Amino acid sequence: MTTPDYALRAGVEGAIRQATHTTGLRRARYRGLAKTHLDHTTSATALNLIRLNAWWNGHPLDRTNHSHLARLQLRLAA
């Protein structure tokens, strides 16, 4: 794989991670293809709205990994 391939894969992996972390897409909540498709569609819409809100407000999405304690410390320091 070349460097652009790695960058593309990193972007896809980041999108999948955000989807599973934010909306819990690892397991389907419903039985049946139609309900599962609706669940995935609403999850994708929610992710798009989160990203759009961050873009409109000029806040980049958090791309760094911090522990819960480190995030709390950063919040208290601000």
Side-chain angles (χ1 to χ4, degrees), residues 29-69:
R29 292 184 185 106
Y30 309 103
R31 290 187 184 205
L33 189 59
K35 289 182 181 178
T36 303
H37 176 70
L38 180 64
D39 185 32
H40 289 176
T41 305
T42 25
S43 296
T45 304
L47 285 174
N48 286 335
L49 290 174
I50 290 169
R51 290 176 178 181
L52 188 62
N53 183 35
W55 183 69
W56 275 343
N57 293 325
H59 299 292
L61 296 172
D62 189 13
R63 303 226 183 259
T64 57
N65 289 333
H66 294 296
S67 68
H68 292 289
L69 184 60

Side-chain angles (χ1 to χ4, degrees), residues 14-26 47 62 68 71:
I16 292 171
R17 189 236 177 243
Q18 185 185 19
T20 57
H21 180 73
T22 305
T23 63
L25 276 180
R26 290 221 186 263
L47 285 174
D62 189 13
H68 292 289
R71 273 184 269 166

